[in-house]
Amino acid sequence: MTTPGPSADDDYWRRPAAGGPPGAPDRTDAPSPAPNGGYAGPPPTTPPPANWSPPLHVQPPPPRQLPGQDMTALDLAEQRAQRVTWTAGAIAAVVLLALSCALCVRLVR
């Protein structure tokens, strides 16, 4: 069970006293504590050198050229597909019309 309050294990992590013992870390670069114990912000950072960049290990090959397209052949194929679609739709419409006429004739009798 732990007891509230400071213990001997926490002494290592405490700030040194104002004068500080010899060999204590220098805290001149540490950010000053925020007023009222709030967050003082992140510590200062040093930017990387201006010419620094991550190492580049693999150079991808340049993109390949796509084969040319025959636009007239594509247009003809599209027209054929459109004709097949219209024909199938017309046949379905005729069949549905014949079925509905047959159903209506049967209901009238």
Side-chain angles (χ1 to χ4, degrees), residues 10-82:
D10 293 337
D11 289 342
Y12 178 77
W13 301 105
R14 289 183 194 223
R15 283 182 192 252
D26 182 21
R27 300 230 176 233
T28 57
D29 62 341
S32 61
N36 300 331
Y39 180 61
T45 59
T46 56
N51 61 352
W52 181 86
S53 65
L56 183 63
H57 297 289
V58 177
Q59 284 285 13
R64 299 177 308 214
Q65 287 288 51
L66 293 175
Q69 295 180 350
D70 186 6
M71 297 308 277
T72 55
L74 287 173
D75 288 340
L76 289 174
E78 185 178 357
Q79 288 172 0
R80 279 194 305 266
Q82 188 177 15

